[in-house]
Amino acid sequence: MNLNLMSKNNGYNHNISDFTEKHYRYLIKTAKKNYLFEPFTAKTKLPHVLWRHDVDFSMHRASSLAKIENKLGVKTTYFLKLHSEFYNLFEKSIFEKVLKIIEFGHNIGLHFEHHFYNNNKKKLEENLRSEKKILEKIFSVDVKVFSFDSPTLSNALNVSDNKISSMVNAYGQRIKNNYHYCTDSNGYWRFERLADVLESREYPYLHILTHPGWWQKNPMKPRQRVERCVKHRGLETLKIYDKILKETGRKNIG
């Protein structure tokens, strides 16, 4: 099956076959040759990359990428949601996976759902501060950066402040003006293919956004990847139910 799908709108090659763990290792190794991996608070003038993961629908995939990065000796930033429809940070298995990501030395950021609230500027600052404190309390970390989730839904890209509520804004004007941006949003390369950007060494400062759910062991179309994550979560929940009934000696009537 040819997974390098062509868009009917513009003929752009989406390179769907890129989105495997094998290719991800190649990207990290290529980036590591020419760039430092830095947090969003970086002040170095040396060529570096701000590599961020917006964890939208799979903490399991995030855990897998964090493990790959740890083996390759790099640290990135994982942005977590408090209102996700796909995972719950208070759930034991999810909580433990986040702790493992932190144990690997990766940074934790807040993936803030601006559209969840009716935000004016004052409320935006209050809600950011509140979610920052919750995330810090749950995982005993300092949250120094946030990214907006689905920023086009709420015009959040118009919020260009470099810092809000003591956190770096990943979409702030300073980062926009000084870093070349590359993203895999919606399961394909939105602007440029990341391998091409890294291999060219054209840009000294990179802001790379990847979403762990897109990166699987084998190439799959984007919606199939989401289906896989959702179905896996459902099956795991059923296993918990079956285990509870077995441990309590109750009948499991199917």
Side-chain angles (χ1 to χ4, degrees):
M1 182 188 299
N2 180 11
L3 289 176
N4 286 327
L5 307 177
M6 302 296 289
S7 165
K8 293 181 180 178
N9 295 327
N10 57 19
Y12 186 80
N13 190 327
H14 290 321
N15 295 98
I16 300 303
S17 59
D18 280 0
F19 294 88
T20 64
E21 290 184 358
K22 180 179 179 181
H23 188 69
Y24 190 77
R25 290 187 186 92
Y26 170 76
L27 293 174
I28 294 295
K29 289 176 182 177
T30 303
K32 191 177 176 182
K33 288 178 183 177
N34 304 310
Y35 297 93
L36 298 173
F37 279 70
E38 292 289 322
F40 278 76
T41 52
K43 295 182 180 179
T44 180
K45 299 294 184 182
L46 296 173
H48 63 275
V49 56
L50 308 178
W51 200 306
R52 114 182 190 233
H53 302 280
D54 285 354
V55 185
D56 282 342
F57 50 81
S58 179
M59 197 62 68
H60 291 75
R61 289 284 85 212
S63 177
S64 295
L65 295 193
K67 186 176 181 179
I68 290 172
E69 293 164 346
N70 182 60
K71 287 185 176 179
L72 294 177
V74 302
K75 295 178 176 62
T76 61
T77 304
Y78 286 78
F79 289 75
L80 311 182
K81 288 185 179 184
L82 290 181
H83 309 284
S84 174
E85 303 285 354
F86 296 91
Y87 62 85
N88 177 3
L89 293 176
F90 294 91
E91 195 175 318
K92 187 174 186 292
S93 63
I94 301 300
F95 175 79
E96 289 175 346
K97 289 187 182 303
V98 177
L99 289 184
K100 193 65 179 178
I101 290 171
I102 295 169
E103 184 181 321
F104 285 145
H106 299 300
N107 300 296
I108 297 298
L110 171 64
H111 198 26
F112 183 73
E113 292 154 288
H114 191 34
H115 52 279
F116 185 84
Y117 303 95
N118 182 18
N119 278 316
N120 54 37
K121 185 62 182 292
K122 182 179 179 181
K123 282 292 185 182
L124 172 62
E125 292 179 0
E126 289 177 1
N127 291 326
L128 276 167
R129 191 177 303 111
S130 174
E131 292 203 4
K132 166 184 161 70
K133 288 180 180 178
I134 293 171
L135 203 53
E136 290 179 332
K137 184 173 180 60
I138 297 172
F139 298 110
S140 300
V141 293
D142 291 328
V143 176
K144 298 179 179 179
V145 57
F146 76 93
S147 65
F148 286 114
D149 173 57
S150 301
T152 53
L153 287 179
S154 57
N155 296 317
L157 291 179
N158 294 329
V159 181
S160 58
D161 307 55
N162 292 321
K163 266 190 155 184
I164 307 177
S165 299
S166 303
M167 289 183 288
V168 173
N169 176 8
Y171 290 110
Q173 202 62 47
R174 181 186 69 83
I175 291 177
K176 282 182 183 178
N177 291 344
N178 293 289
Y179 290 81
H180 187 73
Y181 182 59
C182 190
T183 176
D184 68 353
S185 296
N186 302 113
Y188 58 90
W189 301 116
R190 287 279 303 283
F191 307 112
E192 299 164 273
R193 185 175 178 234
L194 180 53
D196 296 338
V197 172
L198 294 173
E199 289 164 0
S200 74
R201 301 170 61 182
E202 180 179 354
Y203 307 100
Y205 309 125
L206 296 176
H207 176 192
I208 295 172
L209 167 57
T210 48
H211 298 75
W214 303 134
W215 299 84
Q216 306 279 348
K217 293 184 183 299
N218 301 304
M220 303 169 71
K221 294 177 182 178
R223 195 175 188 283
Q224 290 174 334
R225 291 174 239 164
V226 177
E227 281 184 30
R228 184 180 185 277
C229 291
V230 171
K231 288 177 180 178
H232 177 76
R233 176 168 171 75
L235 289 173
E236 289 300 309
T237 302
L238 281 174
K239 286 180 183 178
I240 293 170
Y241 173 77
D242 291 338
K243 182 181 178 185
I244 291 171
L245 290 191
K246 184 177 180 180
E247 289 176 347
T248 55
R250 299 186 182 186
K251 291 181 180 180
N252 193 347
I253 302 173

